[in-house]
Amino acid sequence: MSRRAQFLEVLGIPAEWVLRQRAGGEPQALALPEAGEVATVDAPLSAAPAALAALAALAAPAAPAVSIAEAPPVAEAPVGAPAQAAAPTPPAEAPLTIDRAPAMPSLVPAGPEPGSAQVDREADIATMDWPALEAAVAGCTACGLCQTRTNTVFGVGDRQAEWMLIGEAPGENEDQQGEPFVGQAGKLLDNMLGALGLARGRNVFIANVLKCRPPGNRNPEPDEVAQCEPFLRRQIALVKPKVIVVLGRFAAQSLLRSTTPIGKLRGTVHTYEGIPVVVTYHPAYLLRTLTDKARAWEDLCLAREVHDRAGAGA
Ligand code: URA
């Protein structure tokens, strides 16, 4: 079974995107789904660039290729400040459009007060190696979640991975087992990875924005995110992935310091600390929302394209 077929089977998608033919037989564009209809990209992963070109044309007919939106550098820029960090050098053969969007209001509070203990804490975390970071997460009491957690959930996978996947926070199963995405959503995530030719622990590192479970799976509080973010930032710096795939609205808005709806964050290549970021839906959401499953496939094709371009430029 092809990867595409595998992916579609996993997601339970009944209809497919097809390339419409012009009168002369030229492919015109990917057919858009009707309202409520589910559609898929009619291209195997190996043909993702072609599908992406068509998708990019759909998303922004006037733009030549994939666009990059820059997330504000978190430490330097207070919320509301314009983006400052440099974008990755676009590959020569297919220029990327860089959209230096101004920073949006954020779910995450602005950085700590200069000279505060939090500044020292963040500076300390920013120099940690893997064992020190793991120990710091395991012993963290920086927010109230430490009182209700069973285990911290550090993250799992290949620490030199080219791919990094970032979810929101541990749920009940993850809290029990100390590993991210081990419940139903995790099974779907594993299948999505398989469709990309990846596997948990093989060229992928999986982490969450929060390392502790919010009780009752409530939404994380801004202060909890602010306390935990230095851990994730350090994980990303240590892994140095070629591409980050952010899973779900919360993780996307936290990482990108944005309040833009996930539907608008998708389809654009953002950056975090100079690393390309692709946003897609959370697997738990995909489990219950058939109509957005095909879009997740588009997102993974985009991430694959970004990854492959990064490889070419490396
Ligand atoms: N949802 C997440 O975002 N992360 C997990 O680890 C599990 C469920």
Side-chain angles (χ1 to χ4, degrees):
M1 186 187 290
S2 71
R3 283 186 187 154
R4 179 180 67 104
Q6 183 190 346
F7 186 84
L8 299 183
E9 185 177 281
V10 162
L11 296 185
I13 296 169
E16 294 198 66
W17 286 85
V18 290
L19 283 172
R20 288 202 186 108
Q21 300 291 312
R22 287 188 201 280
E26 284 288 301
Q28 181 183 359
L30 292 173
L32 281 167
E34 300 300 324
E37 183 189 349
V38 176
T40 70
V41 180
D42 188 25
L45 272 168
S46 57
L52 279 158
L55 286 166
L58 266 184
V66 179
S67 67
I68 293 182
E70 188 98 9
V74 177
E76 299 85 13
V79 171
Q84 298 292 328
T89 310
E93 75 280 6
L96 299 179
T97 305
I98 298 172
D99 173 12
R100 292 177 192 277
M104 301 288 292
S106 173
L107 298 177
V108 186
E113 288 295 315
S116 66
Q118 181 67 2
V119 169
D120 293 343
R121 174 178 177 263
E122 292 188 7
D124 188 30
I125 293 171
T127 62
M128 288 178 177
D129 59 11
W130 281 110
L133 190 61
E134 246 180 312
V137 168
C140 182
T141 56
C143 79
L145 296 182
C146 65
Q147 286 158 15
T148 48
R149 74 182 176 220
T150 310
N151 290 295
T152 54
V153 179
F154 180 71
V156 69
D158 179 350
R159 292 178 174 184
Q160 274 132 30
E162 294 176 350
W163 292 73
M164 191 152 173
L165 270 58
I166 299 176
E168 174 178 329
E172 186 178 8
N173 294 312
E174 292 76 20
D175 176 65
Q176 291 294 326
Q177 298 182 38
E179 182 170 333
F181 286 102
V182 290
Q184 283 304 312
K187 287 197 185 113
L188 177 58
L189 184 64
D190 286 344
N191 290 333
M192 290 163 74
L193 287 173
L196 277 170
L198 302 168
R200 187 179 287 245
R202 203 178 66 218
N203 208 12
V204 182
F205 191 88
I206 304 173
N208 283 310
V209 172
L210 290 194
K211 311 303 185 204
C212 296
R213 181 192 183 206
N217 296 344
R218 66 158 168 75
N219 283 338
E221 299 286 346
D223 180 56
E224 294 159 358
V225 176
Q227 295 298 330
C228 231
E229 191 186 44
F231 294 137
L232 179 63
R233 175 187 298 276
R234 186 61 186 155
Q235 287 177 310
I236 294 171
L238 287 168
V239 174
K240 299 189 203 73
K242 285 185 176 169
V243 62
I244 297 171
V245 179
V246 187
L247 305 165
R249 175 191 74 86
F250 181 85
Q253 291 182 340
S254 300
L255 201 75
L256 300 174
R257 304 207 143 214
S258 169
T259 53
T260 302
I262 186 166
K264 291 206 169 107
L265 291 172
R266 291 182 54 249
T268 300
V269 183
H270 308 266
T271 64
Y272 179 86
E273 304 278 316
I275 298 169
V277 174
V278 172
V279 173
T280 193
Y281 294 109
H282 194 285
Y285 169 81
L286 290 175
L287 281 173
R288 51 178 202 271
T289 314
L290 184 72
T291 49
D292 280 330
K293 289 176 177 173
R295 296 189 174 96
W297 171 244
E298 296 169 16
D299 300 334
L300 295 185
C301 286
L302 176 59
R304 162 69 73 191
E305 165 77 351
V306 168
H307 167 272
D308 292 351
R309 286 183 186 216

